[in-house]
Amino acid sequence: MKLLFASAERDLLLCYSRLLQTEGREVLTAFDGPQLLSQLSGSPDLIIADAALPRLDTAGLIRFLKNEGIRLILLLNDKKQKNAFRENLPEEAFLSYPFSPEELEEKIRETMNLTLGKAVIS
Amino acid sequence: MREVRRKFVLYAMLAVFILLLLILSIINVTNFTMAAADADAITAMLAENKGRFSEKKNEAPDFAQETPQMPGSAGGTAPGDFSTLPFSPNGFGPMGPDSPETGFSLRYFTVRFGKDGDAKLTVYQIAAVSEEEALAWAQSLKSESKKNDVTGWTHGTYRYRCYTRGDSVFVTVIDEGRELTPSYRILIISLIGMVFGLLISFLFLTYISKRLFKPLEDADRKQRQFILEAEKEFKIPLTVIRADTELIERENGPSDYTSSIHRQVSRMADLNRNLGNLALFNESAPSENCSLSTVFETAASEAASALETAGIRLTAEWTEGITINANPEALKRIADELLDNIGKFAVSDALIRSEKHEGRIILTVSNDCTLPDGSCDNVFDRFIRLANAEDRPGAGLGLSFVKDAVRQIGGRVSAKVEDGRFILQLFL
């Protein structure tokens, strides 16, 4: 499986890129919007991105991924962020800070087990 | 802070009310007491002459012959002799008992009761009371007076004196209605003044309290904002520490130290979340009608995987159609806290039930536990953790937030352990 992990926090990027590189996963990383978009050419199966990634139109990204059929997990620092994206993402697509590695793994399993149509399209 | 300001205005108004009432009482009680004393002086004077004015006192003074002099003045009377003053020492003025006008202006009657008890109207200088009424009043007053020389009020504004002279008992009743009119006017005016005073005080206190409390409200708002911002800032570092600890364990194997880091990170995450809850809990947050079941079902779905991991079976029994007027964010956080509590402390099963009883919504959250039976309302105090919380994460702030939030929407909470179940009830 190929994952794309995007966060402006370098330390978070560092530890989770290592953690996620288990069980044969390939992990791409991005620390801002333009880099995330450029990494999309790597065709990730799942994108895990911070909802407040710098220089990224998150709503636009969600619409784009919906059209492309790419699964997304949105990392939230503030529950108010959820309200902004709730219309276009299912409840399962949100994960709030602070989360544990186990919680992220559980969320990845949930998201990947969803049918492609439901994962991004509400 | 709004609640504090409201209490400030309330207590200040109470103080103003008590002060005004005290002043009013002193003025009016003194006024009426003095009126009674004035009347008693007149009835005492009448009593000296068996219920009538003496001939001498009824004479008008000849001011051409007798010019009142100040005591001790040249050509005047001896020092200390106040008899020629226009005002007598007790301040009665020209219409006092010593005034020659009193006999002409006073409306009164006197009834004499002989040895055999027969009543005779000896003085009848009044129009408002008929002779029959006068005799009846006097009879009644004589019967009520157990001692000699008794005074009192009767029939509203009439002052009486019941006294003995020789073998006869006299009852003299004077009409003080005209004299009391200014006193009643003062009473009414002072009451109206008190109401206006209270109204003006209320308006002033409301205005001044806004200005007084504004710096405090601003500081409180900034403090909450700071705590909320700090709460957000802590989240990512906690996530990183957890992930790094996990990496260390994967590379080097778990140890007591990494386990300790996990525990402390969980504790800090819990504390961080609760601090955010307490800061978010804002008395001026907008309220709206929320469906209780929807809010809790959303929270339950978010907590589902954590509960499943912990092996806890959650059952929900909802009474449909229950809505509550509350801030949705606060209600959601209450639900999150209660479910988090279940996740931490339930052994194997938990129940959430909503019902309506006598117009109140009762939300019951219960779970099996290892605590002994008994009340545990202190669990709502800050930083209080029960015996079964020793090895569980948390700082003891979650239920404190729940209590404050429920109180803010006019409800109350209770907690007890019964038959091995921890039962929390929210009365909304």
Side-chain angles (χ1 to χ4, degrees):
Chain A
M1 187 164 81
K2 196 183 277 185
L3 300 176
L4 168 55
F5 193 92
S7 169
E9 294 288 335
R10 304 276 180 169
D11 287 336
L12 192 70
L13 217 53
L14 177 68
C15 62
Y16 267 100
S17 62
R18 282 295 305 272
L19 273 172
L20 293 170
Q21 279 171 3
T22 55
E23 300 172 21
R25 287 182 191 142
E26 184 185 341
V27 180
L28 308 171
T29 59
F31 55 80
D32 62 13
Q35 202 174 43
L36 184 151
L37 293 172
S38 75
Q39 293 283 42
L40 287 176
S41 59
S43 305
D45 298 305
L46 171 67
I47 297 173
I48 304 167
D50 192 308
L53 199 67
R55 299 193 293 156
L56 176 74
D57 172 15
T58 309
L61 173 72
I62 292 171
R63 282 193 297 273
F64 173 76
L65 296 178
K66 180 177 167 181
N67 290 336
E68 298 296 313
I70 302 173
R71 293 175 175 85
L72 171 68
I73 294 173
L74 211 54
L75 304 175
L76 305 173
N77 201 359
D78 186 343
K79 288 196 179 165
K80 285 178 192 166
Q81 292 172 321
K82 188 192 277 192
N83 297 333
F85 308 119
R86 200 193 287 269
E87 274 187 33
N88 289 321
L89 281 178
E91 190 64 37
E92 297 83 6
F94 298 106
L95 181 62
S96 296
Y97 291 109
F99 53 83
S100 65
E102 292 77 21
E103 284 170 341
L104 181 59
E105 287 291 339
E106 177 61 33
K107 188 60 73 172
I108 292 171
R109 272 195 294 276
E110 258 181 40
T111 308
M112 296 310 293
N113 285 341
L114 289 173
T115 60
L116 186 65
K118 194 183 174 194
V120 179
I121 301 168
S122 62
Chain B
M1 195 54 65
R2 192 191 290 177
E3 186 62 26
V4 173
R5 186 157 68 89
R6 204 177 293 145
K7 277 187 182 166
F8 167 76
V9 171
L10 183 67
Y11 287 127
M13 283 301 299
L14 191 63
V16 167
F17 173 74
I18 290 171
L19 185 65
L20 285 176
L21 192 65
L22 194 65
I23 294 170
L24 216 78
S25 302
I26 291 171
I27 290 172
N28 286 287
V29 166
T30 306
N31 204 12
F32 280 96
T33 304
M34 286 177 73
D38 288 352
D40 286 347
I42 293 174
T43 56
M45 186 193 64
L46 290 170
E48 283 174 15
N49 201 39
K50 294 183 183 176
R52 63 176 72 241
F53 279 97
S54 67
E55 291 302 317
K56 188 176 176 204
K57 292 244 186 255
N58 276 343
E59 287 171 4
D62 183 353
F63 283 103
Q65 299 296 320
E66 299 171 11
T67 304
Q69 300 277 349
M70 293 301 292
S73 61
T77 57
D81 182 357
F82 294 94
S83 61
T84 59
L85 280 178
F87 293 92
S88 55
N90 59 4
F92 291 141
M95 298 308 294
D98 290 336
S99 166
E101 303 297 341
T102 304
F104 294 100
S105 64
L106 189 68
R107 313 316 301 159
Y108 75 108
F109 64 85
T110 298
V111 174
R112 187 188 72 182
F113 293 88
K115 254 195 301 191
D116 50 358
D118 59 309
K120 186 182 173 185
L121 200 58
T122 56
V123 178
Y124 182 69
Q125 195 171 303
I126 192 166
V129 182
S130 67
E131 289 185 22
E132 290 76 21
E133 282 174 330
L135 286 167
W137 287 15
Q139 185 66 56
S140 164
L141 291 169
K142 175 177 167 291
S143 309
E144 287 168 12
S145 304
K146 307 291 178 207
K147 298 185 290 186
N148 184 30
D149 209 18
V150 172
T151 61
W153 293 101
T154 186
H155 293 84
T157 57
Y158 293 87
R159 191 75 178 168
Y160 74 90
R161 183 182 287 271
C162 185
Y163 53 97
T164 305
R165 291 289 179 270
D167 293 335
S168 302
V169 174
F170 293 84
V171 176
T172 297
V173 179
I174 64 175
D175 179 5
E176 285 289 290
R178 201 168 58 173
E179 282 70 21
L180 283 177
T181 300
S183 300
Y184 280 118
R185 275 200 201 120
I186 289 171
L187 175 65
I188 290 167
I189 290 169
S190 58
L191 280 170
I192 293 171
M194 180 176 165
V195 168
F196 270 112
L198 285 171
L199 183 64
I200 290 167
S201 299
F202 175 72
L203 293 171
F204 175 74
L205 283 168
T206 303
Y207 169 72
I208 205 77
S209 67
K210 268 188 195 161
R211 297 196 65 174
L212 278 174
F213 278 86
K214 190 166 183 323
L216 293 173
E217 285 171 351
D218 286 345
D220 184 60
R221 186 176 39 78
K222 283 177 186 167
Q223 184 188 56
R224 287 174 190 273
Q225 198 57 39
F226 170 74
I227 292 174
L228 283 171
E229 292 298 323
E231 186 220 356
K232 273 199 274 188
E233 291 300 318
F234 273 115
K235 285 180 181 175
I236 290 178
L238 286 171
T239 307
V240 171
I241 293 170
R242 265 182 175 155
D244 282 339
T245 309
E246 180 70 25
L247 269 172
I248 291 169
E249 285 184 331
R250 287 190 191 185
E251 289 177 10
N252 303 309
S255 71
D256 288 344
Y257 308 110
T258 56
S259 301
S260 169
I261 294 172
H262 280 305
R263 281 196 301 275
Q264 295 308 317
V265 167
S266 291
R267 192 176 159 193
M268 283 174 64
D270 214 45
L271 183 61
N272 194 48
R273 190 188 72 243
N274 285 324
L275 285 175
N277 284 346
L278 289 171
L280 184 74
F281 170 57
N282 183 348
E283 29 193 44
S284 63
S287 298
E288 58 185 72
N289 270 340
C290 311
S291 162
L292 205 61
S293 59
T294 304
V295 170
F296 273 80
E297 277 168 2
T298 305
S301 72
E302 288 173 5
S305 63
L307 292 176
E308 200 182 318
T309 306
I312 297 165
R313 187 183 72 251
L314 177 66
T315 312
E317 294 174 7
W318 298 113
T319 301
E320 287 304 320
I322 291 182
T323 60
I324 181 167
N325 189 267
N327 175 257
E329 182 62 36
L331 201 59
K332 176 64 170 43
R333 291 228 181 184
I334 290 172
D336 287 341
E337 280 304 328
L338 293 175
L339 285 157
D340 183 66
N341 228 47
I342 289 172
K344 280 181 199 160
F345 302 113
V347 177
S348 62
D349 81 276
L351 167 70
I352 300 180
R353 184 175 65 229
S354 71
E355 58 189 321
K356 250 190 165 167
H357 181 64
E358 290 176 3
R360 270 222 118 126
I361 300 166
I362 303 174
L363 185 72
T364 305
V365 180
S366 69
N367 56 267
D368 51 359
C369 67
T370 56
L371 292 166
D373 285 6
S375 169
C376 39
D377 278 350
N378 65 336
V379 76
F380 298 107
D381 294 339
R382 289 184 185 182
F383 302 111
I384 292 293
R385 308 185 78 221
L386 298 180
N388 64 343
E390 277 173 12
D391 56 348
R392 313 292 172 96
L397 288 174
L399 290 183
S400 169
F401 161 74
V402 168
K403 178 183 172 185
D404 287 345
V406 167
R407 275 174 72 177
Q408 180 59 23
I409 57 178
R412 62 179 178 87
V413 295
S414 74
K416 63 180 176 184
V417 178
E418 200 174 79
D419 300 331
R421 290 194 77 80
F422 177 74
I423 301 167
L424 209 111
Q425 284 193 302
L426 279 62
F427 300 88
L428 305 170

